[in-house]
Amino acid sequence: MSKEVLRGVKSKRIIVVGTLLIALIITMLVSISIGPITIPFKKTIQILLNKWQISVDATYTQQEWAVITEIRLPRVLVAAFVGAALAVSGAAMQGLFRNPLVEPGFIGVSSGAALGAVCAIFFGWTYISPWILSLSAFIGALFALSMILLIWRISRSNQMTMLLLLGIGVNAFFAALMNVLTAVSKDEQELRSIAYWLQGGLEARTWEHVVLVLFRVIFGGLILSFFGRELNVMLLGEEHAVTTGINVRGMRYFILICTALVTGAAVAVSGMIG
């Protein structure tokens, strides 16, 4: 490709990414200003600027400050990071499997995280610390991936189709376990907690949840983005990737592990979101 064509492609990508970034920021600001308690959009911007140590003249109540900075803002940020995590992971999985319909839940990561959270609720671990729920979900995601990769390695199969089938099988197995735990729940409150978490949501998310998901998603997302070239080459086929010097098997493991880390971090704070 000529330099002019490459320059045009690069400029187009910058324009697209810039436009989407602006749209994301506007959407987040509108989401923060809308809710049961009506707060004008202008006042919302002023509160956010003061929150970020940018002094502006504004008149607002303590209630409006708390609603914007302590309730809506962390919830919207968690939603943005969870969406980014699932988007980046989904793009990596689609490139890895060469299938536009594949997403992280296909390899059992989401169901593993859900099983970890359900176990924490069922066995009462959440009474030890409120962070046990998120930690159990994250560990469950890693356990699910480790289980799938171990079986895949024992099977001595290099086919991605086999890995996908293993993921679907593990999803079904974990779903059965969660149904059993739900059916034998001791009381109604425990059953409600399990059902509430499995539905997924962003209610009652705080700044602690933002910190919990922030660094994992940014770190994992940046690592995955650095391997965009390898994923594009692998889309052309394994033989082509091997001839270009890519360690296909090692790259698969690496992408799967990074995807599990990012997805596990997202699901751990939001519950099951497809």
Side-chain angles (χ1 to χ4, degrees), residues 76-138:
V76 170
L77 288 176
V78 169
F81 284 120
V82 169
L86 297 179
V88 173
S89 300
M93 295 297 294
Q94 290 165 11
L96 192 63
F97 285 91
R98 291 189 290 168
N99 189 324
L101 299 179
V102 175
E103 50 97 10
F106 277 49
I107 59 170
V109 175
S110 297
S111 60
L115 180 61
V118 169
C119 288
I121 297 172
F122 181 82
F123 293 108
W125 301 339
T126 52
Y127 293 106
I128 301 175
S129 170
W131 296 109
I132 292 294
L133 183 65
S134 298
L135 180 61
S136 298
F138 187 67

Side-chain angles (χ1 to χ4, degrees), residues 5-155:
V5 175
L6 290 174
R7 193 177 297 113
V9 172
K10 186 176 181 180
S11 300
K12 184 178 180 180
R13 288 179 178 176
I14 292 175
I15 293 173
V16 171
V17 172
T19 303
L20 292 176
L21 182 60
I22 293 173
L24 173 63
I25 294 174
I26 294 175
T27 303
M28 293 175 66
L29 292 176
V30 172
S31 300
I32 294 172
S33 64
I34 295 176
I37 298 178
T38 303
I39 300 176
F41 184 76
K42 181 179 179 181
K43 186 177 290 187
T44 299
I45 300 297
Q46 293 172 340
I47 293 174
L48 291 175
L49 290 176
N50 284 327
K51 172 68 175 178
W52 294 324
Q53 306 301 320
I54 301 176
S55 299
V56 294
D57 294 330
T59 303
Y60 47 82
T61 65
Q62 190 64 32
Q63 182 191 38
E64 292 173 333
W65 170 272
V67 167
I68 295 296
T69 62
E70 301 301 326
I71 299 177
R72 294 180 184 172
L73 181 57
R75 186 182 302 176
V76 170
L77 288 176
V78 169
F81 284 120
V82 169
L86 297 179
V88 173
S89 300
M93 295 297 294
Q94 290 165 11
L96 192 63
F97 285 91
R98 291 189 290 168
N99 189 324
L101 299 179
V102 175
E103 50 97 10
F106 277 49
I107 59 170
V109 175
S110 297
S111 60
L115 180 61
V118 169
C119 288
I121 297 172
F122 181 82
F123 293 108
W125 301 339
T126 52
Y127 293 106
I128 301 175
S129 170
W131 296 109
I132 292 294
L133 183 65
S134 298
L135 180 61
S136 298
F138 187 67
I139 293 175
L142 296 182
F143 172 76
L145 180 66
S146 301
M147 180 178 174
I148 292 172
L149 292 180
L150 178 61
I151 298 174
W152 190 41
R153 186 178 182 88
I154 293 174
S155 68

Side-chain angles (χ1 to χ4, degrees), residues 78 82-83 86 109-115 117-118 121 133-134 137-138 178 193-203 205 209 212-213 262-274:
V78 169
V82 169
L86 297 179
V109 175
S110 297
S111 60
L115 180 61
V118 169
I121 297 172
L133 183 65
S134 298
F138 187 67
M178 285 186 285
S193 298
I194 293 175
Y196 177 79
W197 199 91
L198 290 177
Q199 288 176 354
L202 299 168
E203 296 81 4
R205 298 303 181 261
H209 292 94
L212 185 65
V213 73
V262 174
T263 306
V267 176
V269 298
S270 66
M272 291 287 288
I273 295 182

Side-chain angles (χ1 to χ4, degrees), residues 252-274:
R252 285 174 179 171
Y253 283 117
F254 183 78
I255 296 297
L256 288 171
I257 291 173
C258 289
T259 300
L261 291 174
V262 174
T263 306
V267 176
V269 298
S270 66
M272 291 287 288
I273 295 182

